[in-house]
Every structure is written in C-alpha cells, then in structure tokens.
C-alpha cells in the first residue's frame, strides 16, 4: 500500500538524554527520578546528539514515518511562557532530517515530560496548566507547522493520570480518585484548547490524540459483568475517545462520578469548547486487552510481574466498587507478564471505527524483552512473531473496511522505559549502554524492512 505510513515511535524523555543541554528546563521526571535516586533518562539513547544516525537508520530500514514527541521543557523556559530558541533549533533539525530522508514527521506535543516549574504549581491538577499548554502548543504550530502535517495533542492521557494519580507508580505518585478525575479533565480540556489553536491558525494537516487503547472484554456473560465492563469501558476508553472524538464526556460516567467526586471544575464554557473542537483522527497504542470482572473486594492495586516490575498492559486495576481487572488464564504471556492477544487489536480497531468513523493510526505496538545486546546481532524472533501477528490483525481490520492509515512500532531503537529503566527493551535496533551507546540492528529491524518492502509492492 503506497500511502500507508510504516514507522516507529519514541518519546522525548525516553530517547533524547541531553537533560541539561540546550537551555532545557527541568522536567517533572528529572526531579522525581533524581530525588528518588532511580534510574533516569539523563543520557537515555542520546538521541539528542545522534538523531541524524537514528533517522537515517529508519530510512535504511524502509520506514516512511517517524513519530516523536517535543519536550515542552526544551521549548518553553519558564512559567512566563518564554520561548527557548535552542530548543526550537533542535526540533527544526530533527524535522528537517526527517524530510531530507522522506520520512513523514508525526509529532506528539506532550508525552509526559511536564516542565517541573508547572508540576511544582500543581501540574495537571491546576487549571493554569491548561493555559500554559495551549500557549506551548501554539508555539509548536507556529514554529513547525510549515513542515509537520500530522500532530497529536497528548500521548496516553489515561495512562498518565492512572499512573500518576490513581495507582501512584509514576510522579507525582498519588492514589486519589478525585485527583485522577481532575487531572483527566484538565488534560482533555487542554487537548481541545490545542485543537482550537490549530484550527484558528489555519494550519495544513490534521490533529489527533493518542490513547492507550485496551479493548475491554468481560470475563463471562452475566449482567453483573456487563455492567462492570461498561464502567471499565468508560474509565479506560470512552473518557478519552468520546471526549476527543465526539466532544462529550460520557454521561453515565459523569453520573457515576457525581456522588463520589467534586466536579465543580467542569465549567459550562469548557464543555462548549470540548464540544466545538474535536480531533481529526485517533491514534491507538495497543499492547494488550483488559479483562474485567465485577468488583468483589479490595483496593486499587498495581500488579507486578515476578521480577517486581510493572507489567505493561496487564497492570492494575481495581476501581473500588465498580470493577476489577482479571488475568485471562490460558493465554500466552511475554516474559514481562503482558498478555499476547493480537485478536484484540483487530477487534479494537473495528470497535473504534464503527463507533467514531475517524481515521485510525496504530501509534504504538511492540513487545518488551530482556535481551543480551553484547552479541553481534540480537535474534529477537519473539518480537518478529509478535509484530507479524499484530500487523496481520491491523491488515485484517483494514481489509474489512476500517480506515487505518499507519502502524508505528514501539520503538525504532532501545529506549529508557520509565520505571522499568533500560532493562526492558523494545527496540528494533539494540543500544549497548555499556559500550558507547553503539547501535546494532536486531533481526526484527531487517524483518520489518522486508515486510514493508513487500507491502509496498502490492
Ligand atoms: C506506552 C508509552 C510509551 C512506552 C510504551 C512501552 O504506554 O506511551 O512511552 O513506554 O508504553
């Protein structure tokens, strides 16, 4: 398929490094990881210095698009909103390098690295952050909108707010339903504000949002499970997708929250704005489905795998009184305890397309593995198998008529994986952190290149 975008995705904090270079402000992640003496992204994959080589490798790997995020702390220096020219220059170089190699830049405006000066002021619990974000987004459009045609406002607001405010395993590390609701609300309001800036500026191209998409499955077909699954669908998916695509926060979710939370921050003029500025497309990050059972007992918890790390996809979650997530037995799991369920991707695309009728991009999909990268070539056949089955699922949905326009592997090269550090590897290219950050394509890199070439013949 000629117009299909085949690419791979990164996030600024996870790949750039150069944390104190180019006049970059401190992000909330720098503060949190430094203060708690945790493995950090100070150097990460050193993409800040090696982006040219990395983008060239994407090109040589047959890819025609690169999804990356802009680091807010590189662009806006302080709470007064002053622009940092060195940060703008850096992303100009990244974008121009993409264009030189005929790689379509696909830009995420916010992938979790909030400037610390905003976090110190309440972060996404403070309405002022929405204003600061709208200003930052406008600067991005003004500086890069002449060359970037595909934008997304946020990466995974649901995952961000669940992790930071419900489960507490990401900064700021709270466990509070009210804060979860407030931060989710402000992020979705900010997303609509960015869409407004984009429309008002008359830029070419399209703007969407990226969602951590877990299609919900009920554990059985009882009425109790159907109700629990509906709560979960609202909380996991509709809260983001309905709000971004239809301009409506699901009414039954609001009705449920009404008795439990203070919703007075939801002003009528905000709801108008959300209604008026919906997105052009949906980006879905897919790792696994979520299986739901009715709530029985217990508190919101984090499920960790046998190495004590957070499992991706199967993480969490009990929402007290509403539902709980169960582990589908008899399924296959990765060594990080994520269920492998490609059918969920096809079914998920179908559901999203049938409901919203907006173009879909699979903005992340991949498998985290423990890998020995000292060998000459990592033989990552598990990754090849994983990608192959998931790409088939995407193609099936496309053949059925769903408007899917691209697929992005997470990730083009190994990255710093948040709380899982550098131990959990997702890359098509290995990075040897012990040996000068040398890049070495894994087997999957060549497999992906050949698969794309084959597809483009058709
Ligand atoms: C997603 C995030 C991304 C990366 C992958 C593995 O939730 O968007 O930053 O860590 O998971």
């Amino acid at each position: 398929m000629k117009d299909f975008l085949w690419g791979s995705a990164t996030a600024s904090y996870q790949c750039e490094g150069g944390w104190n270079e180019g006049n970059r402000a401190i992000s909330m992640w720098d503060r949190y990881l430094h203060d708690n003496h945790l493995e950090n992204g100070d150097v990460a994959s050193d993409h800040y210095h090696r982006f040219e080589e990395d983008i060239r490798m994407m090109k040589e790997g047959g890819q025609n698009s690169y999804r990356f995020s802009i680091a807010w702390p590189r662009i806006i220096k302080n709470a007064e909103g002053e622009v940092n020219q060195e940060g703008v220059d850096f992303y100009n170089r990244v974008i121009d390098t993409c264009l030189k190699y005929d790689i379509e830049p696909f830009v995420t405006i916010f992938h979790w690295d909030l400037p610390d000066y905003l976090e110190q002021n309440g972060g996404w619990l403070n309405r002022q952050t929405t204003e600061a974000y709208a200003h930052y987004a406008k600067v991005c459009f003004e500086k890069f909108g002449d060359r970037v045609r595909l934008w997304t406002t946020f990466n995974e607001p649901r995952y961000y707010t669940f992790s930071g405010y419900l489960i507490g395993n990401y900064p700021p590390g709270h466990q509070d339903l009210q804060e979860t609701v407030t931060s989710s609300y402000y992020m979705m309001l900010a997303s609509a504000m960015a869409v407004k800036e984009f429309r008002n500026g008359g830029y070419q191209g399209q703007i969407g949002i990226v969602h951590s998409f877990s299609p919900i499955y009920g554990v059985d077909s009882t009425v109790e499970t159907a109700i629990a699954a509906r709560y979960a669908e609202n909380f996991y998916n509709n809260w983001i997708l309905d709000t971004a695509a239809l301009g409506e926060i699901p009414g039954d979710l609001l009705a449920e929250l009404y008795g439990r939370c203070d919703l007075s921050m939801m002003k009528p003029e905000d709801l108008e704005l959300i209604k008026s500025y919906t997105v052009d497309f949906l980006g879905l990050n897919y790792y696994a489905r979520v299986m739901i059972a009715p709530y029985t007992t217990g508190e919101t918890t984090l499920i960790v795998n046998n190495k004590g790390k957070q499992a991706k996809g199967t993480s969490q979650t009990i929402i007290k009184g509403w539902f709980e997530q169960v582990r589908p037995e008899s399924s296959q799991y990765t060594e990080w305890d994520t269920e492998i369920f490609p059918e969920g991707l096809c079914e998920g695309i179908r559901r999203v397309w049938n409901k919203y009728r907006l173009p879909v991009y699979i903005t992340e999909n991949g498998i985290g593995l423990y890998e020995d990268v000292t060998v000459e070539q990592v033989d990552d056949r598990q990754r090849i198998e994983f990608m192959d089955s998931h790409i088939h699922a995407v193609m099936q949905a496309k053949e059925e008529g769903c408007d899917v326009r691209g697929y992005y592997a997470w990730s083009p090269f190994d990255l710093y994986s948040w709380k899982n550090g550098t131990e959990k590897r997702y890359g098509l290219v290995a990075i040897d952190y012990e040996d000068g950050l040398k890049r070495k394509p894994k087997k999957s890199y060549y497999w992906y290149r050949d698969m794309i070439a084959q597809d483009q013949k058709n």
Side-chain angles (χ1 to χ4, degrees), residues 56-122:
R56 179 167 32 83
M57 286 179 94
M58 293 172 201
K59 176 67 182 172
E60 288 166 5
Q63 302 172 35
N64 59 14
S65 185
Y66 175 32
R67 173 175 176 243
F68 60 92
S69 74
I70 293 180
W72 187 344
R74 284 200 193 282
I75 300 290
I76 307 291
K77 284 189 208 169
N78 47 33
E80 287 67 52
E82 240 182 293
V83 174
N84 173 28
Q85 190 54 40
E86 277 188 72
V88 172
D89 293 343
F90 170 66
Y91 291 106
N92 274 333
R93 290 196 295 273
V94 171
I95 293 165
D96 291 343
T97 305
C98 287
L99 298 179
K100 171 173 114 193
Y101 288 119
D102 252 331
I103 299 241
E104 184 76 51
F106 187 115
V107 172
T108 312
I109 298 171
F110 179 75
H111 197 130
W112 304 358
D113 42 0
L114 189 72
D116 189 56
Y117 56 79
L118 293 174
E119 184 63 27
Q120 295 301 320
N121 208 17

Side-chain angles (χ1 to χ4, degrees), residues 213-229:
F213 183 53
S214 297
I216 304 295
Y217 285 69
V219 73
D220 58 32
S221 18
T222 61
V223 169
E224 290 78 4
T225 298
I227 294 170

Side-chain angles (χ1 to χ4, degrees), residues 11 14 111-112 155-156 159 212 285 287 312 364 410 417-418 426:
Q14 296 182 265
H111 197 130
W112 304 358
N155 177 72
E156 302 194 349
Y159 203 86
S212 42
N285 292 353
Y287 292 90
K312 175 90 205 141
E364 283 178 31
W410 183 271
S417 209
W418 307 112
Y426 282 88

